[in-house]
Amino acid sequence: MNRRYTHLGAYSDWAERARLADGLFPAAPPGPATRDSVRRVLDGGRSEPPREVRVERSWRADGLRGEVVSWSVGYGPRTEAFVLRPDTVGPLPGVVAMHEHAGVKYHGREKIADGPAGPPRELAALRDTYYGGRAWANALARRGFVVLVHDVFMWGSRRFELDLESDEARREVAAWSASADVAWREPSLPERYDVVARDHEHTVAKYCTLLGTSVAGTVLREDGAALRYLTSRPDVDAGRVGCVGFSGGGARAVLLRAVHDEVAATVVVGMMSGFAEMLDRHVAPHSWMLFPPGLGRVADWPEVAACRAPDPLQVQYLRGDALFSAEGMRTAHRRLRELYERSGHPEGYAFRFADGPHRFDVPAQEAAFDFLGRTLGGASGGQG
């Protein structure tokens, strides 16, 4: 008898039929064949060098040197980014630090990094909830890395222009205000934008499909452009570059690692499960970044993460993470261990299980920083 899935109901047998017909979530081994399959699904995973790069502003604070940098990816508004580095002589190892989704799109890089103006006030609650109140990209830079934090497709400087004054937008915001128990005050511009942008992402996904790509493929292309910029900097050792992301940022890190050889070490936090174990209740909470069309036919998610084995990978799991089932996380962990053992370098896979909900708190950040320090050669020890 077929398993019944909560969100599929009478269509639960659809999942089994798809599995039998199309060979869903295959156990793809690490290596070029799996990577090529992932590239094809992601519109080739191609990325061009950023165009018209400009340093808009420089500053120094708290032992760090910072730059506001912007570039064009060839379409849409200019990408803006922070570059953070210790006030020391380079070249240094580099890290692409990737912001999460969190349903907050008005801001991008500011969610995880402090720029010259400090953190926007409206992001205090998000940072407290997910990051222990810390700008973790700045803390990582203090550990001896050049850290690039960029806005990506749909976020921050790369967000869409949305009509927040339309009748439909006003109804959406009013409904959100009532459900969030903030009807007693006027929602801020960022709040109103994020409410309307939530459903607009589905429209963007349709446009991506029409234009021959996907949300995940477009995000990957822009992350690849950012990576190419970071490796081009004279203060960065291009042979020692990694990436790290939490939640939606973790999905971005998995895909960037899968298709770009320049990524020497990767940290994924709160974004690992077997796909099959997500079918019951754990698909709807995630964004389109985790579901590029066709990926389920070429590899399971742990196989995507491990396709670069034995290159160093750290995965952090949260036992109380409501976005994944305990079974799904255990399955992913087991598969990753098997795949790295098969590569002949089981030590390339590092992992951390912690209690608590979906978050990247200070102890988790320090574990990630230590891993990057060991694998990329950055400074070790110390609190940011």
Side-chain angles (χ1 to χ4, degrees), residues 137-298:
N138 296 66
L140 176 58
R142 293 190 187 96
R143 296 284 290 263
F145 299 91
V146 179
V147 179
L148 175 66
V149 193
H150 63 288
D151 295 332
V152 79
F153 182 63
M154 297 192 295
W155 274 268
S157 58
R158 294 287 290 160
R159 61 180 177 263
F160 279 77
E161 298 172 358
L162 302 181
D163 182 2
L164 304 183
E165 302 304 325
S166 70
D167 290 341
E168 182 179 0
R170 289 179 179 275
R171 285 194 297 270
E172 291 180 29
V173 172
W176 171 82
S177 296
S179 64
D181 195 26
V182 296
W184 51 272
R185 64 172 175 82
E186 179 69 20
S188 66
L189 172 60
E191 287 174 329
R192 290 188 289 124
Y193 183 91
D194 291 335
V195 169
V196 177
R198 178 184 56 198
D199 288 338
H200 183 255
E201 184 171 329
H202 302 308
T203 300
V204 174
K206 295 175 185 178
Y207 274 101
C208 286
T209 301
L210 188 63
L211 297 174
T213 183
S214 64
V215 169
T218 305
V219 168
L220 172 61
R221 189 175 304 116
E222 297 193 13
D223 285 339
L227 174 66
R228 295 185 72 168
Y229 167 68
L230 181 64
T231 58
S232 74
R233 288 180 58 97
D235 57 354
V236 172
D237 182 344
R240 294 189 294 155
V241 172
C243 64
V244 55
F246 159 70
S247 193
R252 294 166 59 191
V254 167
L255 297 179
L256 187 69
R257 158 193 172 84
V259 303
H260 284 280
D261 292 335
E262 300 94 325
V263 179
T266 306
V267 178
V268 179
V269 183
M271 189 48 66
M272 188 55 62
S273 171
F275 274 147
E277 291 78 17
M278 294 180 65
L279 287 172
D280 193 19
R281 301 189 306 276
H282 294 96
V283 171
H286 292 278
S287 81
W288 287 97
M289 290 189 294
L290 188 57
F291 305 120
L295 183 62
R297 295 185 180 183
V298 301

Side-chain angles (χ1 to χ4, degrees), residues 101-117:
H101 188 296
V104 175
K105 292 200 179 103
Y106 188 86
H107 294 290
R109 64 195 186 279
E110 300 94 343
K111 294 193 281 183
I112 64 172
D114 283 346

Side-chain angles (χ1 to χ4, degrees), residues 89-100:
V89 176
L92 299 171
V95 175
V96 182
M98 298 174 164
H99 63 73
E100 81 305 318

Side-chain angles (χ1 to χ4, degrees), residues 59-66 84-88 138 141-142:
W59 79 96
R60 296 192 183 196
D62 302 323
L64 294 179
R65 295 169 55 186
L84 307 165
R85 55 158 297 159
D87 197 1
T88 57
N138 296 66
R142 293 190 187 96

Side-chain angles (χ1 to χ4, degrees), residues 327-361:
E327 178 188 8
M329 289 187 283
R330 288 194 299 268
T331 295
H333 174 53
R334 183 178 66 252
R335 290 295 298 143
L336 286 168
R337 292 187 74 170
E338 291 172 352
L339 291 165
Y340 269 81
E341 287 173 359
R342 188 183 306 176
S343 77
H345 293 274
E347 75 284 355
Y349 169 55
F351 60 92
R352 180 179 185 267
F353 279 86
D355 295 327
H358 192 65
R359 65 186 179 186
F360 186 28
D361 60 12

